[in-house]
Amino acid sequence: QVQLVESGGGLVQAGGSLRLSCVASGRTFSSLASAWFRQAPGKEREFVAAISRNGGNTDYADAVMGRFTISRSNAKNTVYLQMNSLKPEDTAVYYCAARSSGFLNSSPERHDYWGQGTQVTVSS
């Protein structure tokens, strides 16, 4: 089993920045690919970014490309999401996820473990 705990969400003005963190415990974190998803009210959960188990490969949704950066520290069992140039449409609950395969994937169904989510609100 793997437990994921997100932190770093909050309220920020448009154009501002936030960094989300997700700390993993349980199974060896370095064997897991990780990802961030988000869900806005009334909308389906959507892919944001993913990273392979060794950090060598990353993938981003078109909506966040060039503004968000996913990274990880296996020594700290932590995956990060640096969010810059935030827009009101980025407002959502952000979820950290991990999958047993070391290869990244953008589908929520392909992830085995989920955090409880952290709220990000961007005001205009």
Side-chain angles (χ1 to χ4, degrees):
Q1 252 323 345
V2 175
Q3 293 77 44
L4 302 173
V5 179
E6 303 99 333
S7 63
L11 173 64
V12 63
Q13 288 188 333
S17 298
L18 284 174
R19 187 174 83 154
L20 305 183
S21 299
C22 173
V23 179
S25 61
R27 183 173 167 178
T28 303
F29 179 65
S30 59
S31 68
L32 306 174
S34 299
W36 289 93
F37 294 83
R38 66 187 182 186
Q39 188 166 17
K43 295 187 177 182
E44 294 187 353
R45 191 167 298 189
E46 65 174 3
F47 170 71
V48 176
I51 189 166
S52 59
R53 62 183 176 183
N54 64 1
N57 292 295
T58 58
D59 188 22
Y60 297 91
D62 290 344
V64 307
M65 185 79 71
R67 299 188 297 123
F68 291 10
T69 302
I70 189 171
S71 62
R72 66 189 295 155
S73 168
N74 287 342
K76 296 182 178 181
N77 286 355
T78 303
V79 62
Y80 305 96
L81 185 68
Q82 177 67 44
M83 305 186 294
N84 298 328
S85 302
L86 282 161
K87 305 174 181 180
E89 51 264 44
D90 294 319
T91 295
V93 177
Y94 282 70
Y95 296 91
C96 176
R99 59 194 304 262
S100 297
S101 167
F103 299 100
L104 60 85
N105 192 284
S106 61
S107 172
E109 293 77 15
R110 295 297 183 96
H111 289 75
D112 306 299
Y113 310 104
W114 291 85
Q116 81 289 350
T118 185
Q119 177 70 46
V120 171
T121 303
V122 184
S123 63
S124 58

